[in-house]
Coordinates of all heavy atoms in Angstrom, one line a residue:
I1 N -74.3 113.4 186.4 CA -75.7 113.7 185.8 C -75.6 114.8 184.8 O -76.4 114.7 183.8 CB -76.6 114.0 187.0 CG1 -78.1 114.2 186.5 CG2 -76.2 115.3 187.8 CD1 -79.2 114.4 187.5
C2 N -74.8 115.8 185.0 CA -74.8 117.0 184.1 C -74.2 116.5 182.7 O -74.7 117.0 181.7 CB -74.0 118.1 184.6 SG -74.7 119.0 186.0
T3 N -73.2 115.7 182.7 CA -72.6 115.3 181.4 C -73.5 114.3 180.6 O -73.5 114.3 179.4 CB -71.2 114.9 181.6 OG1 -71.1 113.7 182.4 CG2 -70.3 116.0 182.2
N4 N -74.1 113.4 181.4 CA -75.0 112.4 180.8 C -76.2 113.2 180.2 O -76.7 112.9 179.1 CB -75.4 111.4 181.8 CG -74.4 110.3 182.0 OD1 -73.4 110.2 181.3 ND2 -74.6 109.5 183.0
T5 N -76.7 114.2 180.9 CA -77.8 115.0 180.4 C -77.3 115.8 179.2 O -78.2 115.9 178.2 CB -78.2 116.0 181.6 OG1 -78.7 115.2 182.7 CG2 -79.4 116.8 181.1
A6 N -76.1 116.3 179.2 CA -75.6 117.0 178.0 C -75.7 116.1 176.7 O -76.1 116.5 175.7 CB -74.2 117.5 178.2
M7 N -75.3 114.9 176.9 CA -75.2 113.9 175.8 C -76.7 113.6 175.3 O -76.9 113.6 174.1 CB -74.5 112.7 176.2 CG -74.1 111.8 175.0 SD -72.8 112.5 174.0 CE -73.6 112.7 172.4
E8 N -77.5 113.3 176.3 CA -78.9 113.0 175.9 C -79.7 114.2 175.2 O -80.3 114.0 174.2 CB -79.7 112.5 177.1 CG -81.1 112.1 176.8 CD -81.8 111.5 178.0 OE1 -81.3 111.6 179.1 OE2 -83.0 111.1 177.8
V9 N -79.5 115.3 175.8 CA -80.2 116.5 175.3 C -79.8 116.8 173.8 O -80.6 117.1 173.0 CB -80.1 117.7 176.2 CG1 -80.6 119.0 175.5 CG2 -80.9 117.5 177.5
T10 N -78.4 116.8 173.6 CA -77.9 117.2 172.3 C -78.3 116.2 171.3 O -78.6 116.5 170.1 CB -76.3 117.4 172.4 OG1 -75.8 116.2 172.9 CG2 -76.0 118.6 173.3
E11 N -78.3 114.9 171.6 CA -78.7 113.9 170.6 C -80.2 114.2 170.2 O -80.5 114.1 169.1 CB -78.6 112.5 171.2 CG -77.2 112.0 171.3 CD -77.2 110.5 171.7 OE1 -77.3 110.2 172.9 OE2 -77.0 109.6 170.8
W12 N -81.1 114.4 171.1 CA -82.4 114.7 170.9 C -82.7 116.0 170.1 O -83.5 116.1 169.3 CB -83.3 114.6 172.1 CG -83.7 113.2 172.5 CD1 -83.2 112.6 173.6 CD2 -84.6 112.3 171.9 NE1 -83.7 111.3 173.7 CE2 -84.5 111.1 172.6 CE3 -85.3 112.4 170.6 CZ2 -85.3 110.0 172.2 CZ3 -86.0 111.2 170.3 CH2 -86.0 110.1 171.0
A13 N -81.9 117.0 170.5 CA -81.9 118.3 169.7 C -81.6 118.1 168.3 O -82.3 118.6 167.4 CB -81.0 119.3 170.4
V14 N -80.6 117.3 168.0 CA -80.3 117.0 166.6 C -81.4 116.2 165.9 O -81.8 116.6 164.8 CB -79.0 116.2 166.5 CG1 -78.7 115.7 165.1 CG2 -77.7 117.1 166.9
Q15 N -82.0 115.3 166.6 CA -83.0 114.4 166.1 C -84.3 115.2 165.8 O -84.9 115.1 164.7 CB -83.4 113.3 167.1 CG -84.4 112.3 166.5 CD -83.9 111.4 165.4 OE1 -82.7 111.2 165.3 NE2 -84.8 111.0 164.6
F16 N -84.7 116.1 166.7 CA -85.9 116.9 166.6 C -85.7 118.0 165.5 O -86.8 118.4 165.0 CB -86.3 117.4 167.9 CG -86.9 116.4 168.9 CD1 -87.1 116.6 170.2 CD2 -87.3 115.1 168.4 CE1 -87.6 115.7 171.0 CE2 -87.8 114.1 169.2 CZ -88.0 114.4 170.6
M17 N -84.6 118.4 165.3 CA -84.3 119.4 164.3 C -84.1 118.8 162.9 O -83.8 119.5 162.0 CB -83.2 120.4 164.8 CG -83.6 121.2 165.9 SD -82.2 122.1 166.7 CE -81.9 123.3 165.4
G18 N -84.1 117.5 162.9 CA -84.0 116.8 161.6 C -82.7 117.0 160.8 O -81.6 117.2 161.3
G19 N -82.9 117.1 159.5 CA -81.8 117.4 158.6 C -81.1 118.7 159.0 O -79.8 118.8 158.9
N20 N -81.8 119.7 159.4 CA -81.2 121.0 159.8 C -80.3 120.8 161.0 O -79.2 121.4 161.2 CB -82.3 122.1 160.0 CG -82.8 122.5 158.7 OD1 -82.1 122.5 157.6 ND2 -84.1 123.0 158.7
G21 N -80.8 120.0 161.9 CA -80.0 119.7 163.1 C -78.6 119.1 162.8 O -77.7 119.3 163.6
Y22 N -78.5 118.4 161.8 CA -77.3 117.8 161.3 C -76.3 118.8 160.7 O -75.2 118.4 160.5 CB -77.6 116.6 160.4 CG -76.5 115.6 160.3 CD1 -76.3 114.7 161.3 CD2 -75.8 115.4 159.1 CE1 -75.3 113.8 161.2 CE2 -74.9 114.4 159.0 CZ -74.6 113.6 160.1 OH -73.6 112.6 160.0
M23 N -76.8 120.0 160.3 CA -76.0 120.9 159.6 C -75.4 121.8 160.6 O -75.9 122.2 161.7 CB -76.9 121.7 158.6 CG -77.6 120.9 157.7 SD -76.4 119.9 156.7 CE -77.4 118.5 156.0
R24 N -74.2 122.2 160.2 CA -73.4 123.0 161.2 C -73.9 124.4 161.6 O -73.8 124.9 162.7 CB -71.9 123.2 160.6 CG -71.2 121.9 160.6 CD -69.7 122.0 160.5 NE -69.1 120.7 160.6 CZ -67.8 120.5 160.8 NH1 -66.9 121.5 160.6 NH2 -67.3 119.3 161.0
E25 N -74.6 125.1 160.7 CA -75.1 126.4 160.9 C -76.2 126.4 162.0 O -76.4 127.5 162.6 CB -75.6 127.1 159.7 CG -76.8 126.4 159.1 CD -76.3 125.5 157.9 OE1 -75.3 124.9 158.0 OE2 -77.1 125.5 156.9
Y26 N -76.7 125.3 162.4 CA -77.7 125.2 163.5 C -77.1 124.9 164.9 O -77.8 124.8 165.8 CB -78.8 124.2 163.1 CG -79.7 124.7 162.0 CD1 -79.4 124.6 160.7 CD2 -80.9 125.4 162.3 CE1 -80.2 125.1 159.7 CE2 -81.8 125.8 161.3 CZ -81.4 125.7 160.0 OH -82.2 126.2 159.1
H27 N -75.9 124.7 164.9 CA -75.1 124.6 166.2 C -75.2 123.3 167.0 O -74.3 122.9 167.7 CB -75.5 125.8 167.1 CG -75.1 127.2 166.6 ND1 -73.7 127.6 166.8 CD2 -75.8 128.1 166.0 CE1 -73.8 128.9 166.2 NE2 -74.9 129.2 165.7
V28 N -76.3 122.7 166.9 CA -76.6 121.6 167.8 C -75.7 120.3 167.5 O -75.4 119.6 168.4 CB -78.1 121.2 167.9 CG1 -78.8 122.2 168.7 CG2 -78.7 120.8 166.6
E29 N -75.3 120.2 166.2 CA -74.4 119.0 165.9 C -73.0 119.3 166.6 O -72.4 118.3 167.0 CB -74.2 118.9 164.4 CG -73.5 120.0 163.6 CD -72.1 119.9 163.7 OE1 -71.5 118.8 163.8 OE2 -71.4 121.0 163.6
R30 N -72.6 120.5 166.6 CA -71.3 120.9 167.4 C -71.5 120.6 168.8 O -70.6 120.0 169.5 CB -71.0 122.3 167.1 CG -69.9 122.8 168.0 CD -69.5 124.3 167.6 NE -70.6 125.2 167.6 CZ -71.1 125.8 168.6 NH1 -70.5 125.6 169.8 NH2 -72.1 126.6 168.5
M31 N -72.6 120.9 169.4 CA -72.9 120.8 170.8 C -72.9 119.2 171.2 O -72.4 118.8 172.2 CB -74.2 121.4 171.2 CG -74.2 122.8 171.1 SD -75.8 123.7 171.5 CE -75.4 125.4 171.6
M32 N -73.5 118.5 170.2 CA -73.4 117.0 170.5 C -72.0 116.5 170.5 O -71.7 115.6 171.3 CB -74.2 116.3 169.4 CG -74.4 114.8 169.6 SD -75.5 113.9 168.5 CE -74.4 113.8 167.1
R33 N -71.2 117.0 169.5 CA -69.8 116.4 169.6 C -69.0 116.9 170.8 O -68.2 116.2 171.3 CB -69.1 117.1 168.3 CG -69.5 116.4 167.0 CD -68.7 116.8 165.8 NE -69.1 118.2 165.3 CZ -68.3 119.2 165.5 NH1 -67.2 119.1 166.1 NH2 -68.7 120.4 165.0
D34 N -69.4 118.2 171.2 CA -68.7 118.7 172.4 C -69.2 117.9 173.7 O -68.4 117.8 174.6 CB -69.1 120.1 172.6 CG -68.4 121.1 171.5 OD1 -67.5 120.7 170.9 OD2 -68.8 122.2 171.5
A35 N -70.4 117.5 173.7 CA -71.0 116.9 174.9 C -70.3 115.6 175.2 O -70.1 115.2 176.3 CB -72.4 116.6 174.7
K36 N -69.8 114.8 174.2 CA -69.3 113.4 174.4 C -68.1 113.5 175.2 O -68.0 112.7 176.2 CB -69.0 112.8 173.0 CG -68.6 111.4 173.2 CD -69.7 110.5 173.8 CE -69.2 109.3 174.5 NZ -70.2 108.6 175.2
I37 N -67.2 114.4 175.1 CA -65.9 114.4 175.8 C -66.2 114.7 177.3 O -65.5 114.3 178.2 CB -64.9 115.4 175.3 CG1 -63.5 115.2 176.0 CG2 -65.3 116.8 175.3 CD1 -63.0 113.9 175.8
T38 N -67.3 115.4 177.6 CA -67.6 115.7 179.0 C -67.9 114.5 179.8 O -67.7 114.5 181.0 CB -68.8 116.6 179.2 OG1 -70.0 116.0 178.8 CG2 -68.6 117.9 178.3
Q39 N -68.3 113.4 179.2 CA -68.5 112.0 179.9 C -67.2 111.3 180.1 O -67.2 110.3 180.8 CB -69.4 111.2 179.0 CG -70.8 111.7 178.9 CD -71.7 110.8 178.0 OE1 -71.4 110.5 176.9 NE2 -72.9 110.4 178.6
I40 N -66.1 111.8 179.5 CA -64.8 111.1 179.5 C -63.7 111.9 180.4 O -63.1 111.2 181.3 CB -64.3 110.9 178.1 CG1 -65.3 110.1 177.3 CG2 -62.9 110.4 178.1 CD1 -65.0 110.1 175.8
Y41 N -63.5 113.1 180.2 CA -62.4 113.7 180.9 C -62.8 114.1 182.4 O -63.9 114.1 182.8 CB -61.8 115.0 180.1 CG -62.6 116.0 179.6 CD1 -63.8 116.4 180.2 CD2 -62.2 116.7 178.6 CE1 -64.5 117.5 179.7 CE2 -62.8 117.8 178.0 CZ -64.0 118.3 178.6 OH -64.7 119.3 178.2
E42 N -61.7 114.4 183.1 CA -61.9 114.7 184.6 C -62.5 113.5 185.3 O -63.2 113.6 186.3 CB -62.6 116.0 184.8 CG -62.2 117.1 184.0 CD -61.7 118.3 184.8 OE1 -61.6 118.2 186.0 OE2 -61.3 119.2 184.1
G43 N -62.1 112.3 184.8 CA -62.6 111.1 185.4 C -63.8 110.6 184.5 O -64.9 111.4 184.5
T44 N -63.8 109.5 183.8 CA -64.9 109.0 183.1 C -66.2 108.8 184.0 O -66.0 108.8 185.2 CB -64.6 107.6 182.4 OG1 -64.5 106.6 183.5 CG2 -63.3 107.7 181.6
N45 N -67.3 108.8 183.4 CA -68.5 108.7 184.2 C -68.6 107.3 184.9 O -69.3 107.2 185.9 CB -69.8 109.0 183.4 CG -70.0 110.4 183.3 OD1 -69.1 111.2 183.7 ND2 -71.0 110.8 182.6
Q46 N -67.8 106.3 184.4 CA -67.7 105.1 185.1 C -66.9 105.2 186.4 O -67.1 104.6 187.4 CB -67.1 104.0 184.2 CG -68.0 103.6 183.1 CD -68.3 104.6 182.0 OE1 -67.4 105.3 181.7 NE2 -69.6 104.8 181.6
I47 N -65.9 106.1 186.4 CA -65.1 106.4 187.6 C -66.0 107.1 188.5 O -65.9 106.9 189.8 CB -63.9 107.3 187.2 CG1 -62.9 106.4 186.5 CG2 -63.3 107.8 188.4 CD1 -62.2 105.3 187.2
Q48 N -66.9 108.0 188.1 CA -67.8 108.7 189.0 C -68.7 107.7 189.7 O -69.0 107.8 190.9 CB -68.7 109.8 188.3 CG -67.9 110.7 187.4 CD -66.6 111.3 188.1 OE1 -66.7 111.8 189.3 NE2 -65.5 111.1 187.4

């Protein structure tokens, strides 16, 4: 639940912040990239 929530929240954060959300200085694009791996390592969420 925590890693799926991370992916969903970061995607919407980028979307709601528009073009700025896509830019690195606003941080959320990095957070979205970081969120994806949390669904994969230490057992994929399908394993969970």
Side-chain angles (χ1 to χ4, degrees):
I1 188 173
C2 287
T3 62
N4 282 349
T5 300
M7 196 69 243
E8 182 177 5
V9 171
T10 55
E11 285 187 281
W12 279 111
V14 170
Q15 184 69 26
F16 287 165
M17 292 170 69
N20 286 330
Y22 202 69
M23 302 303 158
R24 293 200 167 185
E25 62 263 35
Y26 285 84
H27 295 277
V28 291
E29 67 83 28
R30 169 175 52 85
M31 293 175 171
M32 185 176 75
R33 288 186 284 108
D34 290 346
K36 185 60 204 174
I37 190 60
T38 69
Q39 296 179 303
I40 297 171
Y41 53 28
E42 313 238 2
T44 66
N45 281 5
Q46 289 68 43
I47 291 294
Q48 309 316 307

